[in-house]
Amino acid sequence: MYSIPFNRPFFTGNEWSYIQDAMKDGKLSGNGKYTEKCQQFFESKYGFGKTFLTHSCTQALEMAAILMGLGPGDEVILPSYSYVSTANAFALRGCTLVFADSRPDYPVIDETKLQDLISPRTKALVIVHYGGMACKMEMISKLVEENDIYLIEDAAAALDAYYQGEDEKKIPLGSMGHMATFSFHETKNIGCGEGGMLVVNDTSFHKKALEVWNRGTNRSAFEQGMHKAYEWVSLGSAFAPSEINAAWLWAQLEQLDNSQKKRGAIWNWYFENCHSLFRSFDVEKPIVPNYAQHNYHVFYLLCTDAAQRGDLINHLKSKGILSVFHYQCLHQSPYFQDQYKGKPLSQAEKYQNRLLRLPLYADFEKEKFERLLLE
Ligand SMILES: *Cc1c(COP(=O)(O)O)cnc(C)c1O
């Protein structure tokens, strides 16, 4: 056991009472009062199109792939430096995956390298706002428009983060793509154990999204009296989480600002003190561009190489502190490497080999961290 774990879910206090309330209402399956409350919260606070709670961000990505009607022969461009779910959702539909490199300054897709990856078969571009830090959007939006392809924001860890474009307007991440996906896994800023959400900003998908979400049926229309029975009308699955999860999530959402404030204080403390905390290690601080108002999801260091990173992990471990690295480049994964035909992706590999994440959670005790580290 570690004295300081990498992550600890934030417990706000109202989770149990909202679950009990859902029980009293006699409605524990999905699409009830708490699902509605959560979805309305997101739609009104961030101006998202229609939102659909799901069991995970993984599922939200799968739902997006179904909605776009993608299949074999269709190409999807996505960053290699991401979580497997970003790729799996499209691989499951038989799409061809076209992996892109990351920017040299921070770990999001390099928008200047995308033009060469676009072909007449390209159907969608999936971007990942790494750790809640926005991708550079102008060129991405232009490419999407010019080539008439779908833009999907994998905003798994990007709740309550913003993009400040060249016109200075603050735009919530998740509101720019045709669709966007979020995660409420316990490791994200707020969560309900396992949970996620699909945001559907493109209104032409709204009716179909409700059907896909409802196991491929027109159940919602039936419940509004529009059909005599509800029937199988589309591909779909059981994407809606239970009210138990939604009730937990609602308690978390009520405390979102509080949780963000706590995380922000820790992130800033790390940023200001990391050179003195890690003085015997030659590490680089993260670079956050001024157009990315991030959400303090991740505090990472860039080590000089994988060996030094290993030393730092062991050093922290000897003090009772757990630090972790991620992601393993998808284009070199055991599942995909034999299919990869593109160029080397040196920046993605850089983050794979050199990035180290430090513990960051709402109840993180910085004095304890400092004492353990320096004693
Ligand atoms: C966490 C994460 C996911 C997966 O989210 P789940 O809710 O666990 O399925 C997908 N993509 C990115 C970029 C993530 O950070």
Side-chain angles (χ1 to χ4, degrees):
M1 275 309 282
Y2 289 87
S3 306
I4 301 210
F6 174 68
N7 179 61
R8 187 179 281 145
F10 183 44
F11 183 69
T12 69
N14 278 333
E15 285 85 350
W16 294 121
S17 60
Y18 291 162
I19 287 176
Q20 279 175 336
D21 181 56
M23 279 177 68
K24 263 194 248 129
D25 287 352
K27 162 86 176 159
L28 290 183
S29 62
N31 202 10
K33 176 172 92 183
Y34 283 101
T35 298
E36 190 66 26
K37 274 176 176 291
C38 292
Q39 292 178 170
Q40 267 176 10
F41 174 93
F42 294 117
E43 289 166 19
S44 65
K45 184 170 169 82
Y46 301 112
F48 293 155
K50 271 202 182 315
T51 57
F52 298 88
L53 292 192
T54 58
H55 296 260
S56 62
C57 178
T58 301
Q59 269 201 341
L61 285 158
E62 290 171 16
M63 210 177 136
I66 294 173
L67 277 168
M68 289 185 287
L70 301 184
D74 293 334
E75 294 180 5
V76 176
I77 301 172
L78 70 166
S80 175
Y81 190 71
S82 184
Y83 192 60
V84 299
S85 301
T86 317
N88 246 330
F90 303 97
L92 276 167
R93 310 234 60 80
C95 302
T96 301
L97 305 182
V98 178
F99 287 107
D101 207 358
S102 307
R103 283 177 60 111
D105 50 353
Y106 73 117
V108 298
I109 202 161
D110 187 341
E111 74 284 355
T112 65
K113 305 255 176 72
L114 294 176
Q115 180 75 65
D116 289 350
L117 302 178
I118 293 176
S119 88
R121 288 168 174 264
T122 307
K123 290 287 158 56
L125 167 62
V126 186
I127 59 172
V128 177
H129 301 299
Y130 176 81
M133 290 181 283
C135 300
K136 181 91 176 83
M137 293 304 298
E138 279 82 5
M139 191 179 283
I140 290 174
S141 305
K142 193 161 154 268
L143 283 173
V144 164
E145 218 165 280
E146 281 173 3
N147 294 282
D148 195 21
I149 56 180
Y150 290 118
L151 176 65
I152 307 299
E153 298 174 78
D154 180 348
L159 184 68
D160 207 44
Y162 295 82
Y163 182 69
Q164 196 148 26
E166 279 154 16
D167 60 1
E168 300 286 299
K169 230 172 71 200
K170 231 175 66 168
I171 308 166
L173 303 191
S175 63
M176 294 174 282
H178 294 90
M179 290 185 262
T181 62
F182 287 88
S183 173
F184 307 119
H185 186 267
E186 69 171 9
T187 51
K188 307 301 199 232
N189 290 22
I190 58 151
C192 56
E194 300 270 0
M197 175 170 70
L198 178 69
V199 173
V200 184
N201 294 316
D202 180 339
T203 53
S204 69
F205 285 126
H206 282 178
K207 178 167 175 279
K208 181 95 185 279
L210 193 57
E211 294 166 354
V212 172
W213 192 59
N214 269 321
R215 298 167 165 84
T217 72
N218 54 3
R219 181 174 187 148
S220 289
F222 162 71
E223 283 169 354
Q224 288 160 22
M226 287 155 72
H227 300 287
K228 287 204 178 67
Y230 75 86
E231 296 178 289
W232 186 15
V233 295
S234 162
L235 283 184
S237 192
F239 284 118
S242 77
E243 282 289 290
I244 303 173
N245 294 64
W248 189 284
L249 186 64
W250 177 245
Q252 299 257 311
L253 284 179
E254 283 187 333
Q255 291 295 319
L256 176 63
D257 290 346
N258 181 25
S259 163
Q260 289 298 86
K261 217 167 86 200
K262 285 166 177 269
R263 295 185 78 100
I266 299 149
W267 198 97
N268 289 326
W269 175 78
Y270 269 139
F271 192 78
E272 281 152 25
N273 295 290
C274 69
H275 285 313
S276 63
L277 288 167
F278 304 102
R279 57 181 163 257
S280 47
F281 293 85
D282 181 24
V283 289
E284 289 172 35
K285 289 201 231 193
I287 294 170
V288 184
N290 52 16
Y291 53 77
Q293 182 183 319
H294 71 119
N295 62 353
Y296 315 111
H297 175 64
V298 57
F299 187 86
Y300 69 83
L301 300 170
L302 270 193
C303 299
T304 47
D305 55 27
Q308 188 217 32
R309 181 175 70 181
D311 291 344
L312 181 49
I313 290 172
N314 286 333
H315 177 69
L316 288 166
K317 192 173 170 186
S318 74
K319 308 281 188 181
I321 299 165
L322 179 60
S323 60
V324 302
F325 59 82
H326 74 167
Y327 300 115
Q328 298 307 106
C329 287
L330 295 169
H331 73 291
Q332 292 175 335
S333 59
Y335 178 73
F336 198 82
Q337 58 185 355
D338 294 339
Q339 300 170 53
Y340 186 66
K341 298 189 188 76
K343 292 185 184 146
L345 305 176
S346 62
Q347 296 302 319
E349 282 181 46
K350 174 180 87 179
Y351 298 116
Q352 166 187 274
N353 297 330
R354 292 174 48 193
L355 186 144
L356 182 66
R357 298 185 294 159
L358 299 178
L360 175 53
Y361 44 90
D363 296 326
F364 175 86
E365 300 155 284
K366 45 185 193 293
E367 295 76 18
K368 183 173 166 190
F369 181 92
E370 195 165 13
R371 179 164 47 74
L372 287 167
L373 188 63
L374 301 178
E375 77 189 0

Short mmCIF file of all heavy atoms in Angstrom, two decimals, residues 10-39 41-42 53-54 184 190-196 240-255:
data_model
loop_
_atom_site.label_atom_id
_atom_site.label_comp_id
_atom_site.label_asym_id
_atom_site.label_seq_id
_atom_site.Cartn_x
_atom_site.Cartn_y
_atom_site.Cartn_z
N PHE A 10 -13.16 11.24 -5.34
CA PHE A 10 -13.66 12.32 -4.47
C PHE A 10 -15.07 11.95 -4.01
O PHE A 10 -15.94 11.67 -4.83
CB PHE A 10 -13.67 13.61 -5.29
CG PHE A 10 -14.09 14.84 -4.53
CD1 PHE A 10 -13.60 15.09 -3.25
CD2 PHE A 10 -14.94 15.77 -5.11
CE1 PHE A 10 -13.97 16.24 -2.56
CE2 PHE A 10 -15.31 16.93 -4.43
CZ PHE A 10 -14.82 17.16 -3.16
N PHE A 11 -15.29 11.94 -2.70
CA PHE A 11 -16.60 11.62 -2.14
C PHE A 11 -17.19 12.90 -1.58
O PHE A 11 -16.61 13.53 -0.69
CB PHE A 11 -16.45 10.56 -1.05
CG PHE A 11 -17.75 10.10 -0.47
CD1 PHE A 11 -18.64 9.35 -1.22
CD2 PHE A 11 -18.09 10.44 0.84
CE1 PHE A 11 -19.86 8.94 -0.68
CE2 PHE A 11 -19.29 10.03 1.38
CZ PHE A 11 -20.18 9.27 0.62
N THR A 12 -18.35 13.32 -2.12
CA THR A 12 -18.85 14.65 -1.75
C THR A 12 -19.82 14.61 -0.58
O THR A 12 -20.10 15.63 0.03
CB THR A 12 -19.58 15.30 -2.94
OG1 THR A 12 -20.78 14.57 -3.17
CG2 THR A 12 -18.72 15.27 -4.20
N GLY A 13 -20.38 13.44 -0.27
CA GLY A 13 -21.28 13.34 0.88
C GLY A 13 -22.73 13.04 0.53
O GLY A 13 -23.43 12.39 1.30
N ASN A 14 -23.20 13.49 -0.61
CA ASN A 14 -24.62 13.29 -0.94
C ASN A 14 -24.90 12.05 -1.78
O ASN A 14 -26.05 11.77 -2.12
CB ASN A 14 -25.18 14.50 -1.68
CG ASN A 14 -25.57 15.61 -0.71
OD1 ASN A 14 -25.91 15.32 0.45
ND2 ASN A 14 -25.52 16.85 -1.16
N GLU A 15 -23.84 11.31 -2.13
CA GLU A 15 -24.01 10.18 -3.05
C GLU A 15 -25.04 9.17 -2.53
O GLU A 15 -25.96 8.78 -3.23
CB GLU A 15 -22.67 9.47 -3.29
CG GLU A 15 -21.72 10.21 -4.21
CD GLU A 15 -20.87 11.26 -3.52
OE1 GLU A 15 -21.13 11.58 -2.33
OE2 GLU A 15 -19.93 11.79 -4.16
N TRP A 16 -24.89 8.77 -1.24
CA TRP A 16 -25.79 7.74 -0.72
C TRP A 16 -27.23 8.23 -0.67
O TRP A 16 -28.16 7.49 -0.98
CB TRP A 16 -25.36 7.29 0.68
CG TRP A 16 -24.05 6.57 0.71
CD1 TRP A 16 -22.94 6.95 1.40
CD2 TRP A 16 -23.69 5.38 0.00
NE1 TRP A 16 -21.91 6.06 1.17
CE2 TRP A 16 -22.36 5.09 0.33
CE3 TRP A 16 -24.39 4.53 -0.87
CZ2 TRP A 16 -21.68 3.98 -0.19
CZ3 TRP A 16 -23.72 3.44 -1.39
CH2 TRP A 16 -22.39 3.17 -1.05
N SER A 17 -27.43 9.46 -0.23
CA SER A 17 -28.82 9.90 -0.07
C SER A 17 -29.52 10.03 -1.42
O SER A 17 -30.72 9.76 -1.52
CB SER A 17 -28.91 11.20 0.74
OG SER A 17 -28.21 12.21 0.10
N TYR A 18 -28.79 10.36 -2.48
CA TYR A 18 -29.44 10.43 -3.79
C TYR A 18 -29.77 9.03 -4.31
O TYR A 18 -30.78 8.83 -4.97
CB TYR A 18 -28.58 11.19 -4.80
CG TYR A 18 -28.48 12.68 -4.49
CD1 TYR A 18 -27.48 13.46 -5.04
CD2 TYR A 18 -29.40 13.30 -3.63
CE1 TYR A 18 -27.38 14.82 -4.75
CE2 TYR A 18 -29.30 14.64 -3.34
CZ TYR A 18 -28.29 15.40 -3.90
OH TYR A 18 -28.20 16.73 -3.60
N ILE A 19 -28.93 8.06 -3.99
CA ILE A 19 -29.23 6.68 -4.40
C ILE A 19 -30.48 6.19 -3.65
O ILE A 19 -31.38 5.57 -4.23
CB ILE A 19 -28.02 5.75 -4.15
CG1 ILE A 19 -26.94 6.05 -5.21
CG2 ILE A 19 -28.44 4.28 -4.23
CD1 ILE A 19 -25.66 5.28 -5.02
N GLN A 20 -30.55 6.53 -2.34
CA GLN A 20 -31.74 6.14 -1.58
C GLN A 20 -32.99 6.80 -2.15
O GLN A 20 -34.06 6.20 -2.22
CB GLN A 20 -31.57 6.54 -0.11
CG GLN A 20 -30.74 5.51 0.63
CD GLN A 20 -30.45 5.92 2.06
OE1 GLN A 20 -30.45 7.11 2.40
NE2 GLN A 20 -30.20 4.94 2.90
N ASP A 21 -32.84 8.05 -2.56
CA ASP A 21 -33.97 8.77 -3.16
C ASP A 21 -34.43 8.07 -4.44
O ASP A 21 -35.65 7.93 -4.66
CB ASP A 21 -33.55 10.21 -3.44
CG ASP A 21 -34.69 11.01 -4.03
OD1 ASP A 21 -35.76 11.08 -3.40
OD2 ASP A 21 -34.50 11.55 -5.15
N ALA A 22 -33.47 7.62 -5.24
CA ALA A 22 -33.84 6.91 -6.48
C ALA A 22 -34.59 5.62 -6.13
O ALA A 22 -35.57 5.26 -6.79
CB ALA A 22 -32.59 6.59 -7.30
N MET A 23 -34.16 4.95 -5.06
CA MET A 23 -34.86 3.73 -4.63
C MET A 23 -36.28 4.04 -4.20
O MET A 23 -37.22 3.31 -4.54
CB MET A 23 -34.12 3.07 -3.47
CG MET A 23 -32.94 2.23 -3.90
SD MET A 23 -32.08 1.57 -2.48
CE MET A 23 -33.30 0.42 -1.84
N LYS A 24 -36.45 5.13 -3.45
CA LYS A 24 -37.78 5.52 -2.98
C LYS A 24 -38.71 5.78 -4.17
O LYS A 24 -39.90 5.48 -4.12
CB LYS A 24 -37.70 6.77 -2.09
CG LYS A 24 -37.67 6.42 -0.62
CD LYS A 24 -37.92 7.65 0.24
CE LYS A 24 -36.65 8.01 1.00
NZ LYS A 24 -36.22 9.40 0.89
N ASP A 25 -38.15 6.35 -5.22
CA ASP A 25 -38.96 6.62 -6.42
C ASP A 25 -39.34 5.33 -7.15
O ASP A 25 -40.17 5.34 -8.05
CB ASP A 25 -38.18 7.50 -7.41
CG ASP A 25 -38.07 8.93 -6.94
OD1 ASP A 25 -38.72 9.28 -5.93
OD2 ASP A 25 -37.33 9.70 -7.58
N GLY A 26 -38.67 4.22 -6.79
CA GLY A 26 -38.98 2.94 -7.42
C GLY A 26 -38.52 2.86 -8.87
O GLY A 26 -39.11 2.17 -9.70
N LYS A 27 -37.46 3.60 -9.18
CA LYS A 27 -36.96 3.60 -10.57
C LYS A 27 -35.45 3.52 -10.54
O LYS A 27 -34.78 4.51 -10.24
CB LYS A 27 -37.44 4.88 -11.27
CG LYS A 27 -36.70 5.25 -12.54
CD LYS A 27 -37.25 4.57 -13.76
CE LYS A 27 -36.53 5.06 -15.02
NZ LYS A 27 -36.65 4.15 -16.13
N LEU A 28 -34.92 2.32 -10.82
CA LEU A 28 -33.47 2.16 -10.77
C LEU A 28 -32.86 1.94 -12.16
O LEU A 28 -31.66 2.10 -12.35
CB LEU A 28 -33.08 0.99 -9.86
CG LEU A 28 -33.31 1.21 -8.36
CD1 LEU A 28 -32.82 0.00 -7.57
CD2 LEU A 28 -32.60 2.45 -7.86
N SER A 29 -33.67 1.56 -13.13
CA SER A 29 -33.12 1.38 -14.48
C SER A 29 -32.81 2.76 -15.07
O SER A 29 -33.03 3.79 -14.43
CB SER A 29 -34.13 0.63 -15.35
OG SER A 29 -35.31 1.39 -15.47
N GLY A 30 -32.31 2.78 -16.28
CA GLY A 30 -31.80 4.03 -16.84
C GLY A 30 -32.87 5.04 -17.27
O GLY A 30 -34.07 4.77 -17.21
N ASN A 31 -32.39 6.23 -17.67
CA ASN A 31 -33.25 7.26 -18.24
C ASN A 31 -34.34 7.73 -17.29
O ASN A 31 -35.47 7.96 -17.70
CB ASN A 31 -33.87 6.75 -19.56
CG ASN A 31 -34.31 7.91 -20.45
OD1 ASN A 31 -34.01 9.07 -20.17
ND2 ASN A 31 -35.03 7.59 -21.51
N GLY A 32 -34.01 7.87 -16.01
CA GLY A 32 -34.95 8.40 -15.03
C GLY A 32 -34.58 9.80 -14.60
O GLY A 32 -33.88 10.52 -15.31
N LYS A 33 -35.04 10.14 -13.38
CA LYS A 33 -34.90 11.52 -12.89
C LYS A 33 -33.43 11.98 -12.81
O LYS A 33 -33.10 13.08 -13.24
CB LYS A 33 -35.55 11.57 -11.49
CG LYS A 33 -35.41 12.88 -10.77
CD LYS A 33 -36.25 12.89 -9.50
CE LYS A 33 -35.44 12.41 -8.29
NZ LYS A 33 -36.27 12.34 -7.06
N TYR A 34 -32.57 11.13 -12.27
CA TYR A 34 -31.17 11.56 -12.09
C TYR A 34 -30.41 11.63 -13.41
O TYR A 34 -29.55 12.50 -13.60
CB TYR A 34 -30.46 10.68 -11.06
CG TYR A 34 -30.87 11.05 -9.65
CD1 TYR A 34 -31.82 10.28 -8.96
CD2 TYR A 34 -30.38 12.19 -9.05
CE1 TYR A 34 -32.23 10.65 -7.68
CE2 TYR A 34 -30.78 12.57 -7.77
CZ TYR A 34 -31.71 11.80 -7.10
OH TYR A 34 -32.12 12.18 -5.84
N THR A 35 -30.74 10.71 -14.33
CA THR A 35 -30.13 10.79 -15.67
C THR A 35 -30.50 12.13 -16.30
O THR A 35 -29.65 12.85 -16.84
CB THR A 35 -30.65 9.63 -16.55
OG1 THR A 35 -30.25 8.40 -15.93
CG2 THR A 35 -30.11 9.71 -17.96
N GLU A 36 -31.79 12.47 -16.17
CA GLU A 36 -32.30 13.72 -16.72
C GLU A 36 -31.59 14.94 -16.09
O GLU A 36 -31.16 15.85 -16.79
CB GLU A 36 -33.81 13.76 -16.43
CG GLU A 36 -34.59 14.85 -17.09
CD GLU A 36 -34.64 14.71 -18.61
OE1 GLU A 36 -34.52 13.57 -19.14
OE2 GLU A 36 -34.77 15.76 -19.25
N LYS A 37 -31.44 14.91 -14.77
CA LYS A 37 -30.78 16.04 -14.07
C LYS A 37 -29.35 16.21 -14.58
O LYS A 37 -28.91 17.33 -14.84
CB LYS A 37 -30.71 15.74 -12.57
CG LYS A 37 -31.92 16.11 -11.74
CD LYS A 37 -31.66 15.62 -10.30
CE LYS A 37 -32.76 16.03 -9.32
NZ LYS A 37 -32.79 17.47 -9.05
N CYS A 38 -28.62 15.10 -14.70
CA CYS A 38 -27.23 15.19 -15.13
C CYS A 38 -27.16 15.73 -16.56
O CYS A 38 -26.39 16.65 -16.85
CB CYS A 38 -26.55 13.82 -15.07
SG CYS A 38 -26.33 13.20 -13.40
N GLN A 39 -27.98 15.16 -17.43
CA GLN A 39 -27.93 15.57 -18.84
C GLN A 39 -28.29 17.04 -18.99
O GLN A 39 -27.65 17.78 -19.75
CB GLN A 39 -28.85 14.68 -19.68
CG GLN A 39 -28.31 13.24 -19.74
CD GLN A 39 -29.17 12.25 -20.52
OE1 GLN A 39 -28.75 11.13 -20.77
NE2 GLN A 39 -30.37 12.64 -20.88
N PHE A 41 -27.89 19.37 -16.76
CA PHE A 41 -26.78 20.14 -16.21
C PHE A 41 -25.74 20.41 -17.31
O PHE A 41 -25.32 21.54 -17.53
CB PHE A 41 -26.15 19.37 -15.05
CG PHE A 41 -24.90 19.97 -14.49
CD1 PHE A 41 -24.95 20.84 -13.41
CD2 PHE A 41 -23.65 19.67 -15.04
CE1 PHE A 41 -23.77 21.39 -12.89
CE2 PHE A 41 -22.48 20.22 -14.53
CZ PHE A 41 -22.56 21.09 -13.45
N PHE A 42 -25.36 19.35 -18.02
CA PHE A 42 -24.33 19.49 -19.06
C PHE A 42 -24.82 20.36 -20.21
O PHE A 42 -24.09 21.19 -20.73
CB PHE A 42 -23.92 18.12 -19.59
CG PHE A 42 -23.22 17.26 -18.59
CD1 PHE A 42 -23.77 16.05 -18.18
CD2 PHE A 42 -22.01 17.66 -18.04
CE1 PHE A 42 -23.12 15.26 -17.24
CE2 PHE A 42 -21.36 16.87 -17.09
CZ PHE A 42 -21.92 15.66 -16.69
N LEU A 53 -26.14 9.91 -21.20
CA LEU A 53 -25.24 9.21 -20.28
C LEU A 53 -25.03 7.79 -20.79
O LEU A 53 -25.94 7.19 -21.36
CB LEU A 53 -25.84 9.15 -18.86
CG LEU A 53 -25.97 10.44 -18.07
CD1 LEU A 53 -26.30 10.10 -16.61
CD2 LEU A 53 -24.72 11.30 -18.13
N THR A 54 -23.82 7.28 -20.60
CA THR A 54 -23.48 5.91 -20.99
C THR A 54 -22.73 5.25 -19.83
O THR A 54 -22.44 5.89 -18.82
CB THR A 54 -22.58 5.90 -22.24
OG1 THR A 54 -21.40 6.67 -21.95
CG2 THR A 54 -23.28 6.49 -23.45
N PHE A 184 -16.71 9.31 -16.89
CA PHE A 184 -16.89 9.51 -15.45
C PHE A 184 -16.33 8.31 -14.70
O PHE A 184 -16.86 7.89 -13.68
CB PHE A 184 -18.37 9.78 -15.12
CG PHE A 184 -18.94 10.91 -15.93
CD1 PHE A 184 -20.02 10.68 -16.79
CD2 PHE A 184 -18.38 12.17 -15.88
CE1 PHE A 184 -20.52 11.71 -17.58
CE2 PHE A 184 -18.88 13.20 -16.67
CZ PHE A 184 -19.95 12.97 -17.52
N ILE A 190 -14.48 14.08 -12.01
CA ILE A 190 -15.65 13.62 -11.27
C ILE A 190 -16.08 12.30 -11.87
O ILE A 190 -15.84 12.03 -13.06
CB ILE A 190 -16.83 14.61 -11.29
CG1 ILE A 190 -17.24 14.89 -12.72
CG2 ILE A 190 -16.54 15.88 -10.55
CD1 ILE A 190 -18.69 15.22 -12.79
N GLY A 191 -16.72 11.46 -11.06
CA GLY A 191 -17.04 10.14 -11.58
C GLY A 191 -18.15 9.45 -10.83
O GLY A 191 -18.69 9.97 -9.84
N CYS A 192 -18.51 8.28 -11.30
CA CYS A 192 -19.51 7.44 -10.63
C CYS A 192 -19.05 5.99 -10.72
O CYS A 192 -19.85 5.11 -11.01
CB CYS A 192 -20.90 7.65 -11.23
SG CYS A 192 -20.99 7.38 -13.00
N GLY A 193 -17.80 5.75 -10.49
CA GLY A 193 -17.24 4.40 -10.63
C GLY A 193 -16.88 4.17 -12.08
O GLY A 193 -15.74 4.38 -12.49
N GLU A 194 -17.87 3.73 -12.83
CA GLU A 194 -17.75 3.65 -14.28
C GLU A 194 -18.88 4.49 -14.86
O GLU A 194 -20.04 4.34 -14.44
CB GLU A 194 -17.93 2.20 -14.78
CG GLU A 194 -16.95 1.20 -14.23
CD GLU A 194 -15.69 1.05 -15.08
OE1 GLU A 194 -15.58 1.72 -16.12
OE2 GLU A 194 -14.82 0.25 -14.67
N GLY A 195 -18.57 5.34 -15.81
CA GLY A 195 -19.63 6.15 -16.41
C GLY A 195 -19.10 6.94 -17.58
O GLY A 195 -17.88 7.07 -17.74
N GLY A 196 -19.99 7.44 -18.40
CA GLY A 196 -19.56 8.24 -19.54
C GLY A 196 -20.73 9.00 -20.13
O GLY A 196 -21.85 8.95 -19.61
N ALA A 240 -27.57 3.06 -21.83
CA ALA A 240 -27.92 3.94 -20.72
C ALA A 240 -27.56 3.30 -19.37
O ALA A 240 -27.91 2.16 -19.12
CB ALA A 240 -29.42 4.25 -20.76
N PRO A 241 -26.86 4.03 -18.50
CA PRO A 241 -26.53 3.50 -17.18
C PRO A 241 -27.75 3.54 -16.25
O PRO A 241 -28.73 4.23 -16.54
CB PRO A 241 -25.45 4.45 -16.67
CG PRO A 241 -25.77 5.75 -17.33
CD PRO A 241 -26.37 5.41 -18.67
N SER A 242 -27.67 2.83 -15.14
CA SER A 242 -28.80 2.81 -14.21
C SER A 242 -28.90 4.14 -13.46
O SER A 242 -27.95 4.93 -13.42
CB SER A 242 -28.63 1.68 -13.21
OG SER A 242 -27.67 2.06 -12.23
N GLU A 243 -30.03 4.34 -12.82
CA GLU A 243 -30.23 5.53 -11.99
C GLU A 243 -29.30 5.52 -10.77
O GLU A 243 -29.03 6.57 -10.19
CB GLU A 243 -31.69 5.63 -11.54
CG GLU A 243 -32.63 6.14 -12.62
CD GLU A 243 -32.41 7.62 -12.90
OE1 GLU A 243 -32.74 8.44 -12.04
OE2 GLU A 243 -31.87 7.95 -13.97
N ILE A 244 -28.81 4.34 -10.39
CA ILE A 244 -27.88 4.26 -9.27
C ILE A 244 -26.61 5.04 -9.62
O ILE A 244 -26.13 5.87 -8.85
CB ILE A 244 -27.53 2.79 -8.92
CG1 ILE A 244 -28.81 2.01 -8.60
CG2 ILE A 244 -26.54 2.71 -7.77
CD1 ILE A 244 -28.61 0.51 -8.41
N ASN A 245 -26.10 4.80 -10.82
CA ASN A 245 -24.91 5.52 -11.27
C ASN A 245 -25.20 7.00 -11.46
O ASN A 245 -24.39 7.86 -11.10
CB ASN A 245 -24.41 4.97 -12.61
CG ASN A 245 -23.91 3.56 -12.49
OD1 ASN A 245 -24.68 2.66 -12.16
ND2 ASN A 245 -22.64 3.36 -12.72
N ALA A 246 -26.36 7.29 -12.05
CA ALA A 246 -26.70 8.69 -12.34
C ALA A 246 -26.88 9.48 -11.04
O ALA A 246 -26.49 10.65 -10.96
CB ALA A 246 -27.95 8.76 -13.21
N ALA A 247 -27.45 8.84 -10.01
CA ALA A 247 -27.65 9.52 -8.72
C ALA A 247 -26.29 9.86 -8.10
O ALA A 247 -26.09 10.95 -7.57
CB ALA A 247 -28.47 8.64 -7.78
N TRP A 248 -25.38 8.92 -8.20
CA TRP A 248 -24.02 9.16 -7.68
C TRP A 248 -23.36 10.31 -8.45
O TRP A 248 -22.78 11.23 -7.86
CB TRP A 248 -23.18 7.88 -7.83
CG TRP A 248 -21.85 7.95 -7.14
CD1 TRP A 248 -20.74 8.61 -7.56
CD2 TRP A 248 -21.51 7.33 -5.89
NE1 TRP A 248 -19.71 8.43 -6.66
CE2 TRP A 248 -20.16 7.65 -5.62
CE3 TRP A 248 -22.21 6.53 -4.97
CZ2 TRP A 248 -19.49 7.21 -4.47
CZ3 TRP A 248 -21.54 6.08 -3.83
CH2 TRP A 248 -20.20 6.43 -3.59
N LEU A 249 -23.52 10.28 -9.76
CA LEU A 249 -22.92 11.31 -10.61
C LEU A 249 -23.51 12.69 -10.29
O LEU A 249 -22.80 13.70 -10.27
CB LEU A 249 -23.13 10.97 -12.09
CG LEU A 249 -22.44 11.90 -13.09
CD1 LEU A 249 -20.92 11.84 -12.94
CD2 LEU A 249 -22.83 11.55 -14.52
N TRP A 250 -24.81 12.73 -10.00
CA TRP A 250 -25.46 14.02 -9.70
C TRP A 250 -24.86 14.65 -8.44
O TRP A 250 -24.59 15.86 -8.39
CB TRP A 250 -26.98 13.83 -9.57
CG TRP A 250 -27.66 15.11 -9.21
CD1 TRP A 250 -28.34 15.40 -8.06
CD2 TRP A 250 -27.70 16.32 -10.00
NE1 TRP A 250 -28.79 16.69 -8.08
CE2 TRP A 250 -28.42 17.28 -9.25
CE3 TRP A 250 -27.20 16.67 -11.25
CZ2 TRP A 250 -28.64 18.57 -9.73
CZ3 TRP A 250 -27.41 17.97 -11.72
CH2 TRP A 250 -28.13 18.89 -10.96
N ALA A 251 -24.60 13.81 -7.44
CA ALA A 251 -23.98 14.33 -6.21
C ALA A 251 -22.60 14.92 -6.53
O ALA A 251 -22.20 15.95 -5.99
CB ALA A 251 -23.86 13.21 -5.18
N GLN A 252 -21.90 14.28 -7.44
CA GLN A 252 -20.57 14.76 -7.83
C GLN A 252 -20.67 16.08 -8.61
O GLN A 252 -19.88 16.99 -8.40
CB GLN A 252 -19.88 13.71 -8.71
CG GLN A 252 -19.68 12.38 -8.01
CD GLN A 252 -18.24 12.21 -7.55
OE1 GLN A 252 -17.32 12.41 -8.31
NE2 GLN A 252 -18.06 11.85 -6.29
N LEU A 253 -21.65 16.15 -9.49
CA LEU A 253 -21.80 17.35 -10.32
C LEU A 253 -22.12 18.57 -9.48
O LEU A 253 -21.65 19.68 -9.77
CB LEU A 253 -22.90 17.15 -11.36
CG LEU A 253 -22.53 16.27 -12.55
CD1 LEU A 253 -23.72 16.12 -13.49
CD2 LEU A 253 -21.33 16.83 -13.31
N GLU A 254 -22.91 18.36 -8.42
CA GLU A 254 -23.23 19.48 -7.54
C GLU A 254 -21.97 20.07 -6.91
O GLU A 254 -21.95 21.22 -6.51
CB GLU A 254 -24.17 19.01 -6.41
CG GLU A 254 -25.60 18.85 -6.87
CD GLU A 254 -26.52 18.55 -5.69
OE1 GLU A 254 -26.07 17.98 -4.68
OE2 GLU A 254 -27.70 18.89 -5.78
N GLN A 255 -20.93 19.26 -6.81
CA GLN A 255 -19.67 19.70 -6.18
C GLN A 255 -18.56 19.94 -7.20
O GLN A 255 -17.39 19.99 -6.83
CB GLN A 255 -19.22 18.64 -5.17
CG GLN A 255 -20.11 18.53 -3.95
CD GLN A 255 -20.08 19.79 -3.12
OE1 GLN A 255 -19.03 20.39 -2.92
NE2 GLN A 255 -21.24 20.23 -2.65
#
